[in-house]
Amino acid sequence: MLDSKTIRQKVTEALRAHFGAKWFKPDSTRLVIAGTENRTDFIVEIDIYTERRYGDYDCSAVVVIKWKKFLNTFKEFIIWYNKVYQASAQPLKSFLRASFNGIEGDFSAKSRDAFLVENEEHVNIFIKQCIDDLDGKVGEWIKNWFTWTSALATMDDNENLCGSWRDTAYFCLLERIQGREAACSWAQALDSESWPELQAAQIRYLRSEVCRGT
């Protein structure tokens, strides 16, 4: 009988068996991209998500990018934000998350929906879809995160990447490539006056705490 754990395990094992060390680190139970061509310190993983729906399962594969520099910066921001705004926001665990469906559909409204799994045959079809994606557009998109300049270009191509923490993420990336002075000049030029509180607070924090004295 299929359940969430079984589906995730089957997909994970099938992808690892198909791609091997070409894509994934052999010493991890997770689908961590080996990235022999990776010239950054991004950690790129593939997560398989399953959501129960009326006895069946909506399944999707997601690219998860983790970056220590950003996570540390955002953690410090959260400490400051919770104190200044008397909030209870939580730190993040990843830099970016993007579904295979979104990447394949250029993040448009016409992107594929989650894959509905009702039986073992559907699991195999979903696995085939994930393999095709990694061999095609999704695989090429992942490789964009293997150099700093192509990562920044990818951020520039889609202003919705990273969601509500995009500006801190972009600042960290710009600082890594062009230096703090350039990143602070970018932050100073933003007009965040009418932005939602969390987004505006990030710019305020960058200006007052990170860029102070630059």
Side-chain angles (χ1 to χ4, degrees):
M1 182 177 178
L2 288 177
D3 57 24
S4 293
K5 183 178 180 180
T6 301
I7 294 171
R8 290 194 300 269
Q9 184 175 0
K10 283 180 176 291
V11 177
T12 298
E13 291 176 352
L15 294 181
R16 189 184 299 282
H18 181 86
F19 290 104
K22 173 187 174 183
W23 268 105
F24 303 115
K25 290 184 177 181
D27 57 348
S28 175
T29 58
R30 302 176 63 82
L31 292 175
V32 181
I33 303 296
T36 55
E37 303 173 9
N38 192 350
R39 301 294 180 263
T40 74
D41 51 2
F42 292 127
I43 297 173
V44 186
E45 301 180 0
I46 306 299
D47 275 357
I48 306 301
Y49 287 92
T50 57
E51 183 176 354
R52 192 173 181 85
R53 189 176 75 167
Y54 304 116
D56 302 321
Y57 294 89
D58 281 337
C59 300
S60 58
V62 177
V63 179
V64 180
I65 299 179
K66 299 175 182 178
W67 186 24
K68 187 175 181 180
K69 173 182 172 63
F70 163 75
L71 294 177
N72 287 341
T73 299
F74 200 81
K75 180 179 179 180
E76 292 300 316
F77 159 70
I78 288 297
I79 293 171
W80 174 88
Y81 175 74
N82 287 341
K83 180 179 179 180
V84 173
Y85 289 81
Q86 297 183 339
S88 57
Q90 297 297 313
L92 295 169
K93 295 182 179 180
S94 61
F95 170 79
L96 180 152
R97 308 178 77 86
S99 70
F100 281 25
N101 293 340
I103 297 167
E104 183 65 27
D106 295 320
F107 301 98
S108 72
K110 296 181 180 180
S111 297
R112 297 179 314 216
D113 293 328
F115 192 97
L116 181 63
V117 168
E118 300 175 335
N119 51 49
E120 290 277 358
E121 182 181 358
H122 290 166
V123 175
N124 293 331
I125 297 172
F126 177 61
I127 290 169
K128 176 65 164 55
Q129 178 178 284
C130 291
I131 290 173
D132 290 344
D133 286 346
L134 285 170
D135 276 334
K137 195 170 186 177
V138 172
E140 291 304 311
W141 190 87
I142 289 173
K143 292 177 183 177
N144 288 340
W145 300 93
F146 287 177
T147 71
W148 296 113
T149 52
S150 59
L152 184 64
T154 302
M155 289 284 282
D156 286 334
D157 286 342
N158 187 341
E159 62 182 16
N160 294 317
L161 288 179
C162 299
S164 62
W165 59 89
R166 173 184 172 82
D167 294 301
T168 300
Y170 193 91
F171 177 93
C172 290
L173 193 52
L174 193 62
E175 182 184 27
R176 175 61 182 78
I177 298 169
Q178 299 181 16
R180 175 158 294 188
E181 185 175 350
C184 288
S185 294
W186 170 82
Q188 294 290 354
L190 293 174
D191 182 6
S192 58
E193 192 67 30
S194 61
W195 291 7
E197 181 182 278
L198 182 64
Q199 286 93 316
Q202 290 174 63
I203 302 306
R204 179 184 171 189
Y205 171 78
L206 292 172
R207 291 170 177 170
S208 65
E209 303 298 319
V210 179
C211 296
R212 183 170 51 193
T214 59

